[in-house]
Amino acid sequence: MAHITINQYLQQVCEAIDNHEGSFCAELLSFKHPHVANPRLQLASPEEKCQQVLEVPYDEMVAAHLRCTYAVSNHDFVEAYKCQTLVVQSFLRAFQSHKEENWALPVMFAVTLDLRIFANNAEQQLLRKGKGKLGDMLEKAAEQLMGCFRVCASDNRAGIDDSKKWGMLFLINQLFKIYFKINKLHLCKPLIRAIDSSNLKDDYSMAQRVTYKYYVGRKAMFDSDYKPAEEYLSFSFQHCHRSSQRNKRMILIYLLPVKMLLGHMPNHQLLRKYDLMQFADVTKAVSEGNLLLLNEALAKHETFFIRCGIFLILEKLKIITYRNLFKKVYQLLKTHQLPLDAFLVALKMMQVEEVDIYEVQCILANLICEGHIKGYISHQHQKLVVSKAHPFPLLSSSS
Amino acid sequence: MAANTTQTAPAANWSYGAPEAQTVSENPEWEKARQALASISKTQSATKTAQANRTTAQAGQFQPAVTESTAIQQQQQQQYYQQWYQQNQQQPYPGYTYPYNYYYPMAPGPYGGGGYPPQGQYGVPPGPYPSPTTPTGQPPSLPMMDDKSSSYPPQPQPPPPAAPQPPPQSPTSSEHPPPPPPPAVPPPPNSQYPLPPGQNSYNPNNPMPYPNNDPNQMRGYNHNQGRPSYGQSYQTQNSYQQQQNNNQHQQPGPGQYGPGAGRGEANKNKNHQQQQQQPQQQGGQGQQLWHRMKQAPGAGAMKFNIPKRPYVMTNQSFPPGEQPTGLAATPSSPAAAPAAPGGAQTRPQDWPQAMKEYVQRCFTACENEEDKDRTEKGLKEVLQKRLQDGSAYTIDWDREPLPELKAKQSRWEAVSTQRTLESSVGRGGGTGGATRGRGGGARLGHYRNVFSQRSPSSSSSGSSSRSPSPSHSRHRDRNGQRHRRSDSESQSDSSMSSDLRTQLPRRNQKGGRGRGGDRDRGRGGGERGRGRGGRGNRGRRNMDDANSTVLGKKRKGGNAGLDFHDPHREAKKQSRAARFHNTKMRSEPLVLSINNLELPKEDLSWDDCPIVGTCQEITKIYLRLTCAPDPATVRPVSVLRKSLLAVKAHWKTRQDYPYACEQMKSIRQDLTVQGVRTEFTVEVYECHARIALEKGDHAEFNQCQMQLKALYKDNPSENIGEFTAYRLLYYIFTKNSGDITTELVYLTPALRADECVSHALSLRAAWALGNFHRFFQLYRRAPRMASYLIDKFVERERMIALRALFKTFRPDLPVEYVQSSLGFLCLDSCMAFLTGLGVTFFPSDPSKIDCKTSSACLAAS
């Protein structure tokens, strides 16, 4: 298979199309398939041969694909991206003409996936040359994907067996990946709405649903909707295939901060299992209310956290840490009227810079405002008056 | 002769009926001429020279094929050629009338190789033999041939049995074997296909067209030429062809001929019919014919063989091809006209090959019978003149414009198709590959037709049916050699020719099996019906995807044509072709418009065409560019520096933002147009960004920020930190945590240490944690113009902070505390802010806020 001739290849494609063998056809057009490494297929100008064998939209699609393999073999990802764009465009023409059938969905998955990957690679290649602008290529790729998405979403026929809507979630996931990469999360909203209103949302393949929940959960996390975020990410983590350890780790990277913000601390074994020991100190610091340790931990792994995009989330753990720290003060003082100076001492012990009584009041005000502490501050007496019952309610119950 | 005539007449009658009558009438003349030619040819053919001439002639016409066929004696032939040409030319003329005869004789030489030699021999002797047997016998055989040819494989196949007989007969019957064979063979082809091609073509042409078309014609031909000598073995075939040709020419011939190919096919069809009808008649001759026929069946195979033989065959084929076309055409029109004159002056054999080719070309150009008729008339006149004044031997026929029809595109098309066919055919029957080159389309086209018919004829003629070498290549070589030999030695040639013929047909048969079968199937009934129409042939040609494609490929490949194609392949091809037809294949060449997908390269466009401005004006009104910039209105950098200073000064003194903004935009434009990306550019953008920031012009500020971000990559500025901080602050304003994170990724430690950046980072941290106390402290200490940015969201943060304060503090909160916490510079501004929100104060102490009520108030708002 890997060393078939161009004619054999074209014949296979032709038969796959004729027989509506979507999966096989998808393989023949996918860069996950070994044929792309076949030098006999890496042609600079395969147009003529393709034209001789294949029908109109397909000849261009396959020709572009073959030229794409040629470009990839030359490590020219910009050219590869252009070719792949043609592949998607010509596929879309064929796809649109498919009435009452969706056998080509696997092909769409293959070509759109490669399009996104090549857009990414092309952008990196351009940026290394100092050309282009971050996100341009991916945005253009997203436009192509949206074209496919519209075709799928507009299939409003009653029958769902051969509905193109089965392709929506895959495309949405690809779009999510792009939007997250270029920080255009607001563009995700209509996509989420489309799935929420879909009667198929629970019937897509688990792999796609896991991916979808992962991104929706991340988006909720960035929107500070921690409860839904925990729900989505937990679903994703629990249903992610056990062999996809890397994916599970990625899910955990976002699920852990959310869980911690909600008061659920991960145990050491979990962190070790997924090689996420960067969270170990953070977890320890938060649970102990050790602000100093938390700052150190965050500073120590700042690069990692920033690259994961969770630094700002972890930063909010400081609030939880304040709460835990102040709870200790409360437990030490064993009174419901806590002098603010006591908190100032605690904060200074944690080596918080330039801290003063105003800042203590400010921190307390936030904790009270967010429900982490039940009580009030008497400005006149400079005391924190806490509730006699559950002055520090459980994090998971606070809103 | 009588027998011949009789034969022809009946045949004509048989097949064509009314048209046949004409054909018959014409045929007699043709036959006479042919006979005369045949006799001449015989005499000549008897001699090697005749063959050589023929071969040469063929070679000349079909240089490749002939040469190849004659290859052995090529040199001799070449020498002969000139002589031959002359002779041929002379002969040809008569040949026209009876070109076939001549050709046949000629052909025998070449064809002889082709396997008709016996005919040639017979042709001569046929006179005796043929007259009786040949006519009838021929017709039957022809029919067989025709059947085969028409039906292609099927019909041809039946003949084969006959063919076996013929071979013995042909040679034997010829009795004159030595001379006759070559001549006989050639003659028939010639007769059929006026010129030497006839030999080669005979098989193809004769079998195909003649047999199919008009048994009468066939007979007629036979009568004319073959009848005498050919009549028997070769004549049958040859005669058939000839007859057909004649018939066609004479009668509907033109109509049938209409299209060159069409004619051929038509002839074939007619021949087939005739053959079918006549098969019984052929009897003795028929046997010979049958032998030939057998070969003919081979003819079906011939097709296949043809491809293999390409070169040699081509030579032969070409002649035949020429003959077919030419024959059909020439015989009918030119033949008639020239026949008389030609007969008087020169014999078809004597005709120059070039002229024969020319005639063929003329007829191949004909699309319908009318055209053929016209062509015939025109050719008669022209050829007579030429032959009479001798210019026929001197002029360049290749460049001679076609008579009436002249350069009609249709002709060419037909020719091309014919060529393909002919080439294939020619290969099968053709002796020499040399003709290919010259052969051109017309020859080829005829060839096919001829072949189908010829092959049968050839088979019959080849009665001797020597087992053709299994390998095509060998056949080719052998053929070529044999032909050559035959050329050198008439007798031996005849035998050789017969061998060649047999071989060829067999080859053809082989080919025919695969291809022929397909053709027959496809064409089968349709062709026959069409055959008469004349166009049918073309249609067939076109119709036969397998043939055309195969042929075309083979042609290209040269020998490739000979290659066998297994039925499966063809079936696949056909299915594929069908798919193409059914499906929408791209009609125009596919062009991947990859280059159209231009990536956004804003900068490059200006870098590609740098402009240096010449305008010296310090100030300039900003106008959005709608076309290529004019250097006369663009200021160079030196002037722009002055402009920037002027704008700054104007701004400091007047604070006229609209003016400043316009001037800055025009400066930026001039810089962009000239592709200037230097420190000065950075300065301009920084300046404009600050001015815009001060005046709260978000749009311009963001534009400048974007440009600065790109510019800083190449032009490090001491203000990088400042504008990075602005960017961070702006992200706080937009609450875009994603962009903030991205920005954090690219913050270097050096940048973090920058005053502005560290301040911005601290502010961000305070803001993220809701630490408004620290936030407003930082707000007050904002470096440079950061406070302008913070101003954008300070109100928002104050509201949040205030809500928290009111919710936290009980029962009251002093205004001073709020003022200090929320960063108000003075109490009044704080009071105004609080009052604006509807905050409730304690009546007893206006300096204290009633937090509980105010909290509810804020929540409500």
Side-chain angles (χ1 to χ4, degrees):
Chain A
M1 186 60 197
H3 296 290
I4 58 174
T5 65
I6 176 69
N7 286 328
Q8 287 173 320
Y9 169 77
L10 290 175
Q11 199 58 40
Q12 288 180 352
V13 174
C14 192
E15 289 174 2
I17 293 172
D18 285 349
N19 299 333
H20 290 189
E21 298 176 31
S23 298
F24 184 50
C25 190
E27 280 187 5
L28 293 174
L29 292 169
S30 169
F31 275 81
K32 287 181 176 177
H33 194 265
H35 80 268
V36 297
N38 182 354
R40 292 161 131 182
L41 302 183
Q42 293 166 352
L43 301 176
S45 35
E47 295 92 337
E48 189 180 351
K49 280 197 174 287
C50 296
Q51 182 179 1
Q52 288 170 351
V53 178
L54 296 167
E55 297 176 33
V56 157
Y58 301 109
D59 58 350
E60 185 179 16
M61 177 174 71
V62 176
H65 170 69
L66 292 179
R67 193 191 273 189
C68 191
T69 64
Y70 173 78
V72 170
S73 70
N74 291 336
H75 297 281
D76 185 352
F77 289 106
V78 176
E79 176 78 4
Y81 168 73
K82 293 177 181 174
C83 294
Q84 193 65 26
T85 301
L86 261 189
V87 172
V88 173
Q89 286 175 341
S90 47
F91 166 79
L92 196 53
R93 275 199 296 277
F95 194 50
Q96 278 176 312
S97 66
H98 292 173
K99 303 299 182 190
E100 316 244 334
E101 53 187 344
N102 65 355
W103 63 268
L105 282 177
V107 181
M108 182 184 74
F109 298 162
V111 296
T112 52
L113 175 64
D114 288 332
L115 177 71
R116 182 182 64 78
I117 292 171
F118 286 134
N120 207 15
N121 291 336
E123 190 163 287
Q124 298 302 321
Q125 204 165 49
L126 276 183
L127 288 175
R128 275 197 294 274
K129 295 177 184 173
K131 296 177 183 175
K133 186 170 142 250
L134 195 65
D136 275 355
M137 302 285 268
L138 285 171
E139 276 191 64
K140 298 222 174 297
E143 290 175 11
Q144 298 294 325
L145 296 180
M146 277 306 295
C148 294
F149 178 78
R150 277 187 280 270
V151 172
C152 291
S154 63
D155 187 355
N156 290 321
R157 291 176 298 112
I160 60 169
D161 287 343
D162 57 357
S163 172
K164 292 188 177 68
K165 287 194 172 185
W166 289 110
M168 287 171 64
L169 197 56
F170 179 90
L171 291 172
I172 285 177
N173 288 336
Q174 296 301 315
L175 287 167
F176 277 167
K177 290 180 186 180
I178 292 177
Y179 294 152
F180 272 79
K181 193 161 190 93
I182 62 178
N183 286 321
K184 295 278 177 73
L185 294 191
H186 60 281
L187 296 175
C188 298
K189 212 166 188 176
L191 302 178
I192 295 172
R193 207 181 300 133
I195 289 300
D196 283 343
S197 64
S198 169
N199 53 347
L200 301 176
K201 61 181 174 184
D202 293 330
D203 296 325
Y204 289 103
S205 75
M206 185 52 73
Q208 292 182 9
R209 291 170 66 195
V210 165
T211 305
Y212 173 76
K213 297 273 188 183
Y214 166 73
Y215 283 107
V216 174
R218 281 182 66 184
K219 177 169 170 25
M221 183 187 79
F222 288 129
D223 293 338
S224 300
D225 297 329
Y226 300 118
K227 282 274 174 62
E230 186 202 13
E231 184 185 330
Y232 297 138
L233 290 171
S234 293
F235 176 94
S236 184
F237 182 75
Q238 289 166 5
H239 294 88
C240 184
H241 198 279
R242 61 167 57 185
S243 66
S244 301
Q245 291 297 299
R246 186 168 162 271
N247 284 347
K248 298 196 87 164
R249 182 174 184 267
M250 288 174 64
I251 297 169
L252 273 185
I253 287 174
Y254 300 97
L255 181 59
L256 288 178
V258 173
K259 283 278 192 184
M260 286 192 279
L261 280 175
L262 295 177
H264 303 288
M265 297 300 158
N267 65 33
H268 215 66
Q269 291 172 324
L270 182 73
L271 297 179
R272 189 177 297 283
K273 179 180 178 183
Y274 291 98
D275 187 25
L276 290 172
M277 293 310 290
Q278 296 92 334
F279 288 93
D281 282 348
V282 175
T283 304
K284 183 167 180 269
V286 172
S287 54
E288 293 176 354
N290 190 339
L291 201 58
L292 182 61
L293 181 60
L294 179 63
N295 286 331
E296 288 177 358
L298 288 180
K300 184 179 178 183
H301 302 291
E302 183 177 358
T303 305
F304 169 79
F305 294 138
I306 288 179
R307 291 206 173 275
C308 292
I310 57 172
F311 181 80
L312 300 184
I313 302 297
L314 292 176
E315 202 177 38
K316 297 197 174 186
L317 288 174
K318 280 186 180 178
I319 296 173
I320 309 302
T321 311
Y322 285 138
R323 176 245 184 211
N324 290 342
L325 176 64
F326 291 171
K327 184 179 180 183
K328 285 189 173 179
V329 172
Y330 159 76
Q331 289 170 334
L332 286 173
L333 296 181
K334 298 177 180 176
T335 176
H336 298 293
Q337 297 185 352
L338 305 168
L340 297 182
D341 290 339
F343 299 108
L344 182 60
V345 171
L347 289 176
K348 285 188 174 174
M349 190 186 77
M350 292 298 162
Q351 301 180 7
V352 179
E353 299 173 357
E354 303 178 24
V355 71
D356 57 18
I357 198 67
Y358 289 97
E359 189 163 341
V360 171
Q361 291 176 345
C362 178
I363 293 170
L364 284 173
N366 278 320
L367 289 172
I368 293 170
C369 187
E370 292 178 18
H372 294 308
I373 297 177
K374 284 188 176 179
Y376 65 89
I377 296 174
S378 170
H379 183 263
Q380 185 179 356
H381 301 94
Q382 290 295 305
K383 282 187 177 177
L384 171 66
V385 181
V386 297
S387 168
K388 290 180 181 176
H390 307 297
F392 293 88
L394 293 175
L395 288 171
S396 53
S397 65
S398 65
S399 59
Chain B
M1 294 301 290
N4 292 339
T5 56
T6 57
Q7 292 174 348
T8 57
N13 295 335
W14 290 96
S15 63
Y16 294 112
E20 289 174 356
Q22 296 175 350
T23 58
V24 173
S25 65
E26 293 178 355
N27 289 339
E29 295 178 355
W30 288 90
E31 293 175 354
K32 292 177 183 177
R34 292 177 184 174
Q35 291 175 351
L37 295 173
S39 63
I40 297 168
S41 65
K42 293 174 182 175
T43 58
Q44 294 176 347
S45 66
T47 62
K48 298 175 182 177
T49 58
Q51 296 175 345
N53 291 337
R54 296 170 186 175
T55 57
T56 55
Q58 293 175 346
Q61 295 175 347
F62 315 89
Q63 294 172 344
V66 175
T67 55
E68 292 178 354
S69 65
T70 58
I72 299 172
Q73 298 173 346
Q74 287 178 346
Q75 295 174 347
Q76 296 176 349
Q77 291 177 347
Q78 291 176 348
Q79 294 175 349
Y80 290 101
Y81 280 147
Q82 296 174 345
Q83 299 174 349
W84 288 96
Y85 280 107
Q86 294 174 350
Q87 294 176 349
N88 290 339
Q89 290 173 349
Q90 294 174 350
Q91 292 175 347
Y93 286 84
Y96 276 118
T97 56
Y98 308 91
Y100 299 118
N101 294 335
Y102 291 97
Y103 287 94
Y104 287 82
M106 294 298 290
Y111 292 82
Y116 294 89
Q119 294 178 346
Q121 296 174 349
Y122 294 101
V124 178
Y129 297 93
S131 63
T133 58
T134 53
T136 58
Q138 290 176 348
S141 67
L142 293 174
M144 294 302 290
M145 298 300 292
D146 295 349
D147 293 349
K148 296 175 182 177
S149 63
S150 63
S151 65
Y152 297 87
Q155 294 176 347
Q157 293 174 349
Q165 296 174 348
Q169 291 178 349
S170 64
T172 57
S173 67
S174 65
E175 292 178 354
H176 307 284
V185 174
N190 291 337
S191 63
Q192 293 175 346
Y193 313 89
L195 298 179
Q199 298 173 343
N200 298 330
S201 65
Y202 282 131
N203 298 333
N205 292 336
N206 294 337
M208 296 296 290
Y210 296 97
N212 294 335
N213 295 339
D214 303 338
N216 295 335
Q217 293 177 350
M218 295 301 291
R219 294 178 182 177
Y221 289 102
N222 295 337
H223 298 295
N224 293 338
Q225 301 172 344
R227 292 161 192 169
S229 61
Y230 308 160
Q232 298 171 343
S233 65
Y234 292 96
Q235 288 174 351
T236 56
Q237 298 174 346
N238 295 333
S239 64
Y240 288 106
Q241 296 173 347
Q242 294 174 350
Q243 291 175 351
Q244 293 174 347
N245 293 335
N246 294 338
N247 293 338
Q248 293 174 347
H249 295 294
Q250 294 172 349
Q251 303 170 341
Q256 296 172 344
Y257 294 93
R263 298 174 185 176
E265 294 177 354
N267 293 337
K268 294 176 182 178
N269 294 336
K270 294 177 181 177
N271 292 337
H272 291 293
Q273 296 174 348
Q274 293 176 350
Q275 291 176 350
Q276 292 175 348
Q277 295 173 348
Q278 296 174 348
Q280 296 174 347
Q281 294 176 347
Q282 291 177 346
Q285 293 176 346
Q287 292 177 348
Q288 295 176 348
L289 295 176
W290 285 101
H291 295 291
R292 297 175 185 173
M293 293 302 288
K294 292 177 180 177
Q295 293 175 349
M302 292 292 290
K303 299 175 182 177
F304 297 95
N305 294 337
I306 295 168
K308 293 180 179 179
R309 296 181 180 176
Y311 293 104
V312 177
M313 295 307 291
T314 52
N315 294 339
Q316 296 174 348
S317 66
F318 283 93
E322 293 177 352
Q323 293 175 348
T325 57
L327 292 176
T330 54
S332 64
S333 65
Q345 295 176 347
T346 58
R347 298 164 189 174
Q349 294 177 346
D350 294 340
W351 290 2
Q353 288 182 347
M355 192 177 83
K356 295 174 184 176
E357 294 178 354
Y358 170 74
V359 173
Q360 290 180 347
R361 252 186 288 131
C362 293
F363 282 96
T364 55
C366 298
E367 288 184 352
N368 51 35
E369 292 184 357
E370 293 180 358
D371 289 343
K372 291 179 182 177
D373 290 338
R374 279 185 239 138
T375 304
E376 283 184 3
K377 293 178 182 177
L379 282 177
K380 286 179 183 179
E381 296 177 358
V382 173
L383 294 179
Q384 286 181 0
K385 290 179 182 178
R386 297 287 185 193
L387 291 172
Q388 288 177 353
D389 62 15
S391 63
Y393 301 96
T394 57
I395 67 170
D396 184 354
W397 286 103
D398 292 342
R399 296 182 182 178
E400 187 74 0
L402 297 180
E404 297 173 353
L405 300 175
K406 294 188 177 178
K408 290 183 180 178
Q409 294 177 347
S410 62
R411 298 176 183 176
W412 293 107
E413 294 175 356
V415 171
S416 63
T417 55
Q418 293 174 352
R419 288 181 183 178
T420 59
L421 297 174
E422 290 175 356
S423 65
S424 64
V425 174
R427 294 172 184 173
T431 55
T435 53
R436 291 181 181 177
R438 294 181 180 177
R443 296 176 183 175
L444 296 176
H446 296 286
Y447 286 84
R448 284 188 179 179
N449 298 336
V450 173
F451 275 80
S452 61
Q453 297 175 347
R454 288 178 186 176
S455 63
S457 68
S458 66
S459 66
S460 64
S461 66
S463 63
S464 64
S465 73
R466 300 172 184 175
S467 65
S469 65
S471 68
H472 298 282
S473 63
R474 294 179 183 176
H475 291 290
R476 298 174 185 173
D477 297 345
R478 292 178 182 177
N479 293 338
Q481 294 176 352
R482 293 175 184 175
H483 290 289
R484 295 172 186 174
R485 293 176 184 175
S486 65
D487 294 343
S488 64
E489 298 176 358
S490 66
Q491 295 176 347
S492 66
D493 292 344
S494 66
S495 65
M496 294 301 290
S497 65
S498 65
D499 294 348
L500 294 176
R501 294 173 186 174
T502 58
Q503 292 175 350
L504 295 176
R506 290 179 182 176
R507 295 174 185 174
N508 293 338
Q509 291 175 350
K510 293 177 180 177
R513 294 173 185 173
R515 298 177 182 175
D518 295 344
R519 292 180 183 175
D520 295 347
R521 297 173 186 173
R523 297 177 181 176
E527 289 182 354
R528 293 179 183 176
R530 295 176 183 175
R532 294 181 180 177
R535 293 181 181 176
N537 294 334
R538 295 180 182 176
R540 293 177 183 176
R541 294 174 185 175
N542 295 336
M543 294 298 289
D544 301 1
D545 295 340
N547 293 339
S548 64
T549 56
V550 173
L551 293 175
K553 293 178 180 177
K554 292 179 180 178
R555 294 172 187 172
K556 293 177 181 177
N559 293 338
L562 298 178
D563 297 344
F564 286 94
H565 291 263
D566 62 4
H568 295 291
R569 273 191 186 176
E570 293 195 352
K572 289 180 180 177
K573 287 181 180 176
Q574 287 181 347
S575 68
R576 191 182 303 162
R579 187 195 307 149
F580 292 162
H581 292 301
N582 294 338
T583 59
K584 32 187 176 177
M585 297 301 289
R586 195 178 295 275
S587 60
E588 298 175 354
L590 169 62
V591 177
L592 296 180
S593 56
I594 290 175
N595 292 332
N596 295 347
L597 304 175
E598 278 304 327
L599 297 176
K601 296 177 182 176
E602 304 164 0
D603 306 335
L604 291 182
S605 63
W606 298 113
D607 292 341
D608 292 342
C609 50
I611 292 175
V612 176
T614 58
C615 178
Q616 297 299 315
E617 298 290 329
I618 291 180
T619 61
K620 176 182 155 187
I621 297 175
Y622 171 77
L623 290 174
R624 194 187 181 104
L625 274 182
T626 56
C627 60
D630 179 6
T633 63
V634 175
R635 295 164 291 182
V637 175
S638 59
V639 176
L640 289 174
R641 290 183 188 279
K642 298 175 186 173
S643 301
L644 181 60
L645 291 176
V647 173
K648 283 182 177 176
H650 187 274
W651 170 249
K652 286 175 182 173
T653 57
R654 307 275 185 85
Q655 292 285 306
D656 184 354
Y657 180 72
Y659 171 84
C661 181
E662 182 185 32
Q663 290 304 313
M664 293 303 295
K665 284 169 74 81
S666 71
I667 292 172
R668 283 162 51 188
Q669 184 188 60
D670 286 352
L671 288 172
T672 302
V673 165
Q674 298 176 86
V676 177
R677 296 176 67 82
T678 63
E679 295 173 2
F680 175 68
T681 312
V682 173
E683 184 184 351
V684 169
Y685 277 99
E686 287 177 350
C687 178
H688 192 191
R690 289 192 184 106
I691 294 174
L693 183 58
E694 184 175 341
K695 288 299 173 184
D697 188 343
H698 284 221
E700 291 301 326
F701 174 74
N702 286 332
Q703 280 188 24
C704 293
Q705 277 281 55
M706 286 180 58
Q707 287 298 320
L708 284 172
K709 188 177 182 180
L711 285 168
Y712 282 149
K713 290 177 182 174
D714 302 325
N715 303 281
S717 164
E718 59 181 0
N719 298 321
I720 289 181
E722 177 187 353
F723 286 91
T724 302
Y726 293 161
R727 193 170 299 115
L728 280 171
L729 295 176
Y730 190 81
Y731 291 147
I732 295 172
F733 167 59
T734 60
K735 293 202 286 187
N736 191 328
S737 59
D739 282 340
I740 293 174
T741 303
T742 305
E743 196 68 33
L744 291 177
V745 172
Y746 294 102
L747 279 184
T748 64
L751 262 185
R752 285 174 182 272
D754 181 88
E755 178 195 2
C756 296
V757 174
S758 65
H759 173 265
L761 288 174
S762 300
L763 188 88
R764 184 210 60 77
W767 166 76
L769 294 178
N771 195 336
F772 46 86
H773 174 75
R774 186 169 293 240
F775 177 88
F776 289 109
Q777 277 187 333
L778 292 169
Y779 169 55
R780 288 188 196 170
R781 298 193 309 230
R784 303 202 184 182
M785 300 180 69
S787 56
Y788 283 105
L789 271 170
I790 302 172
D791 280 341
K792 297 179 184 302
F793 55 91
V794 75
E795 291 271 309
R796 180 185 75 198
E797 299 304 319
R798 275 175 176 156
M799 284 293 293
I800 296 171
L802 202 58
R803 195 166 289 147
L805 288 177
F806 289 169
K807 200 172 181 179
T808 302
F809 285 89
R810 291 292 186 275
D812 54 35
L813 191 61
V815 176
E816 295 84 356
Y817 179 82
V818 174
Q819 178 210 336
S820 63
S821 289
L822 302 188
F824 287 106
L825 293 176
C826 63
L827 196 60
D828 291 341
S829 61
C830 182
M831 283 301 292
F833 175 75
L834 293 175
T835 309
L837 290 174
V839 172
T840 307
F841 300 91
F842 281 102
S844 57
D845 184 356
S847 66
K848 292 189 176 179
I849 302 169
D850 183 350
C851 290
K852 198 168 186 179
T853 24
S854 297
S855 179
C857 180
L858 279 180
S861 66

